Amino acid sequence: MFSLIAFFILSAAYRAFRIRSIEGSILMASALIVLLGLSFGVIITQWIPATGLAANLRIETWSSWVLGVVSLPALRAIDFGVGLGALAMGLRIWLGIERGALFGE
Amino acid sequence: MDEAADTKSGLLWKLQNIDRRILYLVLLVVVAIPVLRPMNITNAVDPMSEALWKTIDATPADKIVLVSSTWSKATRGENGGQTRALMEHLMNRRIRFALSSFTAPGAQVILDIVRDMAPRYNYQYGRDWVHLGFQASPNNFVKGINADFRKTVRQDFVEKKPLDAFPMMARVKSIDDVHMVVEISASAVHNIWMQFIKPGVRVGFCPTSVMAPESLPYYSSRQLAGVLWGAKGAYDYEQLNVRNGTGRYGMGREYMAPLSAAFALVIVSITIGNVAMFLGRKQTRRGGSGS
């Protein structure tokens, strides 16, 4: 049942992923790198040695870099943001400052 | 015919606006071919998968692995392959394990898989593995087994007997006797383990692909000992099993080719849409119709 999403992902990706700005280009480039790194894309750079300096040119290294260096800090920032937000809201309720949902107009 | 109508009938316009039903049909064909004719896909094993494999492989003889199964048939394509690959490894290395689940279907799906595989490896219930069953309160279960398995789980899932009835559990008193916990899940259940488990116990996570990025910060900070990234993670684990003689290929390899074919189609369709858009714009600037 979960796999039915594939049809909608294909249609949405085809329609939405159009390079109309620099930000759009960066988003598409990173998405392609991660997609290739997670699937058949490894074949493209298979001829490059897996060890040494040249290994940095392999698609899976690029994919790991995008996930580990670009995406990871953003995810961590979201986690911190959510945590701090929950803490702040907890304090507001605890101290009786937050009245909107329960007592507000 | 005016210019707008002429543009809409042009090839470049059509390539930018392919009917979704045609895309669905192409996807169906593209995915069906590798399903009907299985093929090998070249794969580079992810370090996160390797970390999980190595941690499980280093399980001492006097400890067990606790496998928590919080998934259902809806995510069988990813979690099923992960579970089978993991079980192949555990059974080949003769590592004893306990099963548990935070959802009722999760307890049954892993039981079906283990029952299917156990005879091949002469794995006996009670001697080599036990099933602790569905745990309705995840927080209390994790906090409970930190101190005492018997007080937390009154009876097992399969034979409905107290844990003392099973030889395997004779030396397993608390979480100190567990080398590693592996959570196979379609949701962010790893948080429960990381929040409540006794510090020092290794936690591995096998999520679906959509859930995997959420776990990256915890792998990076070493709160997770390893992560299997969806179907690719299952294939990674199978490759590690084959490479080290602790298992064979199965669902992971079977599902990787259709997945790769679908990814390829996504990339091709995005490229077609963009190339047509650029050429169309170029022609419009020159004063053409874009056809």
Side-chain angles (χ1 to χ4, degrees):
Chain A
M1 206 169 74
F2 204 48
S3 57
L4 287 176
I5 299 169
F7 292 97
F8 301 109
I9 288 175
L10 174 66
S11 177
Y14 165 70
R15 264 162 247 288
F17 262 134
R18 295 286 159 86
I19 304 176
R20 294 197 173 93
S21 62
I22 296 170
E23 290 88 346
S25 318
I26 294 169
L27 182 68
M28 196 169 89
S30 25
L32 288 182
I33 290 168
V34 174
L35 262 184
L36 288 169
L38 285 176
S39 60
F40 68 97
V42 179
I43 301 164
I44 303 167
T45 54
Q46 202 183 0
W47 53 275
I48 300 172
T51 51
L53 203 61
N56 290 320
L57 298 172
R58 286 172 75 106
I59 195 79
E60 63 268 27
T61 317
W62 290 25
S63 173
S64 295
W65 185 84
V66 170
L67 286 170
V69 180
V70 183
S71 170
L72 183 67
L75 284 165
R76 200 169 270 149
I78 291 167
D79 282 350
F80 274 120
V82 170
L84 285 173
L87 191 67
M89 183 52 90
L91 273 174
R92 282 177 67 85
I93 293 169
W94 191 34
L95 298 173
I97 301 168
E98 180 63 40
R99 307 179 66 82
L102 297 174
F103 309 103
E105 296 280 306
Chain B
M1 191 184 282
D2 64 353
E3 196 178 313
D6 187 34
T7 305
K8 286 192 175 182
S9 66
L11 176 68
L12 292 177
W13 189 88
K14 279 181 185 165
L15 285 176
Q16 286 180 67
N17 297 282
I18 300 171
D19 192 283
R20 68 174 188 279
R21 285 163 295 188
I22 297 172
L23 289 173
Y24 293 169
L25 188 68
V26 175
L27 178 65
L28 198 68
V29 174
V30 160
V31 170
I33 294 167
V35 169
L36 298 172
R37 283 185 63 105
M39 51 184 86
N40 286 336
I41 292 287
T42 310
N43 179 46
V45 174
D46 197 285
M48 294 189 292
S49 311
E50 198 161 2
L52 183 69
W53 190 92
K54 281 182 178 169
T55 314
I56 290 180
D57 204 60
T59 307
D62 60 334
K63 292 205 174 186
I64 67 163
V65 171
L66 177 60
V67 183
S68 173
S69 157
T70 311
W71 58 281
S72 65
K73 293 281 184 188
T75 57
R76 177 182 165 273
E78 296 183 281
N79 294 134
Q82 292 167 341
T83 307
R84 282 188 176 273
L86 199 76
M87 288 302 153
E88 284 261 347
H89 186 198
L90 291 171
M91 291 183 188
N92 255 298
R93 286 266 289 103
R94 304 231 46 99
I95 296 168
R96 292 167 304 138
F97 59 85
L99 307 174
S100 70
S101 176
F102 296 140
T103 57
Q108 190 59 48
V109 285
I110 197 161
L111 180 62
D112 292 344
I113 288 175
V114 175
R115 272 183 172 159
D116 176 46
M117 296 173 71
R120 207 184 324 140
Y121 295 96
N122 189 26
Y123 248 61
Q124 278 182 23
Y125 189 76
R127 186 192 70 185
D128 303 306
W129 65 286
V130 290
H131 197 333
L132 307 177
F134 164 49
Q135 304 299 327
S137 174
N139 301 3
N140 288 335
F141 171 69
V142 179
K143 283 192 274 187
I145 60 169
N146 279 342
D148 195 334
F149 266 96
R150 280 154 189 80
K151 282 184 183 165
T152 314
V153 183
R154 299 285 177 194
Q155 59 180 22
D156 78 306
F157 183 63
V158 178
E159 296 180 2
K160 312 290 180 205
K161 288 179 181 170
L163 298 186
D164 282 324
F166 304 107
M168 178 197 139
M169 295 302 284
R171 279 188 295 175
V172 181
K173 308 290 179 200
S174 69
I175 202 75
D176 293 328
D177 303 306
V178 176
H179 173 69
M180 184 181 199
V181 174
V182 184
E183 176 63 51
I184 305 167
S185 174
S187 50
V189 188
H190 61 296
N191 287 332
I192 294 163
W193 290 107
M194 287 186 306
Q195 281 167 19
F196 296 109
I197 204 162
K198 196 173 175 180
V201 180
R202 298 154 196 86
V203 179
F205 187 40
C206 306
T208 50
S209 293
V210 286
M211 291 305 303
E214 266 188 47
S215 62
L216 287 181
Y218 303 106
Y219 173 72
S220 159
S221 62
R222 297 184 185 177
Q223 285 166 281
L224 288 176
V227 177
L228 287 193
W229 188 300
K232 189 223 178 318
Y235 189 32
D236 282 353
Y237 210 92
E238 284 175 7
Q239 275 198 322
L240 289 163
N241 276 343
V242 171
R243 202 183 290 168
N244 295 284
T246 54
R248 54 190 182 180
Y249 287 117
M251 270 178 80
R253 186 172 71 168
E254 207 177 294
Y255 283 35
M256 197 62 195
L259 187 70
S260 290
F263 282 168
L265 183 62
V266 169
I267 292 169
V268 168
S269 62
I270 291 172
T271 310
I272 288 172
N274 278 286
V275 170
M277 186 184 75
F278 275 114
L279 293 176
R281 274 186 191 170
K282 218 172 176 180
Q283 282 197 354
T284 311
R285 258 186 248 127
R286 282 183 194 156
S289 66
S291 55

